Amino acid sequence: LSVRSGLDQNHASLLGIADESEVVGAAFSSVSFLFGFLIVFRTSHAYTRFWDGCTNLCQMQGEWFDAASCLVAFCKRSKASEASVE
């Protein structure tokens, strides 16, 4: 099946198409560029989300450590009896 089956010779010459290999090459190039762009975009987005998750995990770990430190410090300095603190 010819790529140029819908084009007559005049239309092909107006579009600057010399033969079918140019059409196939241009289509392949366009599709390759599109897939390449999508892969790079998705990989970059996934990389950013991964590091955002790592940052949030470290921040959460720090918050839990801070809460535990405050709990120990407040219980240690409390004037209440040891039995009521436990």
Side-chain angles (χ1 to χ4, degrees):
L1 194 92
S2 174
V3 175
R4 257 198 269 162
S5 62
L7 298 176
D8 62 2
Q9 192 62 29
N10 291 335
H11 288 108
S13 64
L14 288 175
L15 293 174
I17 300 171
D19 59 3
E20 292 177 16
S21 65
E22 288 184 21
V23 174
V24 173
F28 180 75
S29 177
S30 299
V31 170
S32 296
F33 173 77
L34 179 66
F35 282 146
F37 179 77
L38 289 175
I39 288 171
V40 169
F41 177 75
R42 286 181 55 88
T43 303
S44 173
H45 191 66
Y47 184 77
T48 302
R49 288 183 66 190
F50 171 77
W51 281 112
D52 284 343
C54 290
T55 302
N56 289 335
L57 184 65
C58 288
Q59 184 178 1
M60 184 176 67
Q61 182 182 6
E63 295 289 333
W64 277 105
F65 183 78
D66 188 39
S69 297
C70 288
L71 184 64
V72 169
F74 293 149
C75 290
K76 191 171 188 169
R77 293 292 180 181
S78 176
K79 295 183 190 229
S81 66
E82 189 173 326
S84 66
V85 170
E86 289 180 4

